Amino acid sequence: MLTPTIKKILFFGAIAAAIALIAFGIYFFFFSKNPTTGTGSNLPSGNSQGRLPTDVRPAPGETETPSGQVQTEPRLFSVHDKPVVSAVSFIRNKVSFTRFVEQGSGHVYEYNFKTKAKVRISNTSIPQIAEALWSSDGNTLVFRYEESGVVHTAVGSLSTTTEESAFKKISFLPEGIRSISISADGSQVFYIVKGDSPAIGVLAKADGGSPKILFSSPLSQWNVDWADPGSVLISTPQSLFGGIAYRVRLSDGVQSQLTISDITFGGVQGGSSRQLIATVPSNGQVTQLGSKGEFSDLSDFSWPTKCAFAQFATSSMVCANMAQTDLLRFDEWQRGEIRTSDQLVATNFAAGYKMLLIPSDDLGDKTFDMTNISLTPTGEYLVFKNRVDQLLWGVRVPGGIQ
């Protein structure tokens, strides 16, 4: 017969054994498995080592290191750390580049999107350039600057290489030019200047030779934009009180009216395939203007000057969208009195969808007032000038703009 003391020993021994069994079960369940890196929610299915499965490839803009880790190129990045005038993106030997003019020095730089290398390709000695327009290949540049109270307009021919040098040739155009545009191949210019009438439109060679009057108007203020190889767009400035836009055929000067409004008018901007960006008079939004004068339903709160067509997709444009309350403040914005806070959006009119190009996580606390948007021919990158800091910024578009 068991004594009370032995009964106590057996009772507490059974409790200790039960506790040990439970502890062993907990250890076996939680700690006996193979160790992993990271948490289970971060791991691909069926892979306990925290590495990408062999059938997963880096997305566009990503590179894979020898260890198997993926490094992603930033979605948003600064191209240059000093104020710029404008930029153009192009392709050379299947590589995308952008060229831009530094505002303070007038120097021209070239940035390689593949290698991320930036080089100065001209030692320009004309500082404080106020406006710069480019040929599509970045080799010809129209630039305007003020000296002794006079605005000068010149056309410069750049080297096609990245060797630092002066412009190969600079040609000066007549004084008093109010608006100017350059052909995509850099061979011709079209400008508005005072002549026998308050405004005449002149077609000339890039060096100013062989001028030919193709447009005349009793109105003095007109904007010109080179639409495609065979025509230019001429429009009155943006106004709350209406305006008009024409397409002028370069072969004979024949004009065709594109849009007219007696209320809000925002001008037009053309693409290389005869596409048109225009402002809808009824609501001030910007959209695509069809060949029959119809406006697309896919409208944005922006201005044509903040938009650009993709070179490779004739139904796609990119716009810096702003707050609706800023739409009617173009004059103040142009004078530098206000800054907009923009979102970069790509619109595909053929497919009927829009895509935000800089998610809020990439934007952070940065504020952008965007202008001079220029897309690479591949659609994988674009650049824009930020009027807040006057710097040139780049954007990587994973998968490209469709």
Side-chain angles (χ1 to χ4, degrees), residues 1 24 89 119 128 143 154 202 251 258 287 303 314 323 334 380 384:
M1 184 174 181
F24 178 79
S89 300
V119 294
Q128 299 304 322
F143 56 93
V202 180
S251 59
L258 296 174
T287 189
W303 301 314
T314 58
Q334 199 170 36
E380 295 177 305
F384 64 86

Side-chain angles (χ1 to χ4, degrees), residues 215-268:
F215 177 81
S216 179
S217 172
L219 300 178
S220 60
Q221 298 300 319
W222 293 90
N223 296 325
V224 59
D225 179 59
W226 207 290
D228 56 70
S231 64
V232 294
L233 307 177
I234 298 179
S235 60
T236 53
Q238 181 157 344
S239 171
L240 299 179
F241 308 104
I244 190 170
Y246 299 100
R247 186 188 296 273
V248 178
R249 198 162 62 195
L250 297 176
S251 59
D252 52 17
V254 171
Q255 302 173 22
S256 57
Q257 181 180 301
L258 296 174
T259 180
I260 187 171
S261 172
D262 57 2
I263 49 178
T264 302
F265 180 78
V268 295

Side-chain angles (χ1 to χ4, degrees), residues 98-172:
T98 189
R99 283 185 174 182
F100 56 91
V101 179
E102 189 178 81
Q103 190 174 59
S105 66
H107 297 321
V108 177
Y109 289 81
E110 181 175 282
Y111 177 83
N112 185 321
F113 285 103
K114 182 178 181 180
T115 65
K116 315 308 175 192
K118 179 176 61 180
V119 294
R120 193 174 82 179
I121 63 172
S122 84
N123 55 359
T124 311
S125 57
I126 303 175
Q128 299 304 322
I129 292 177
E131 182 182 7
L133 305 171
W134 299 86
S135 61
S136 60
D137 60 5
N139 290 331
T140 307
L141 174 66
V142 174
F143 56 93
R144 310 188 73 191
Y145 65 98
E146 183 176 341
E147 186 178 53
S148 302
V150 178
V151 177
H152 301 278
T153 304
V155 180
S157 177
L158 290 162
S159 171
T160 57
T161 68
T162 56
E163 179 182 354
E164 183 178 329
S165 62
F167 279 92
K168 292 193 297 183
K169 181 182 180 181
I170 294 181
S171 304
F172 287 88

Side-chain angles (χ1 to χ4, degrees), residues 18-38:
I19 293 173
L21 184 62
I22 293 172
F24 178 79
I26 293 174
Y27 174 82
F28 180 85
F29 183 81
F30 287 100
F31 298 103
S32 64
K33 297 181 181 181
N34 292 332
T36 62
T37 56

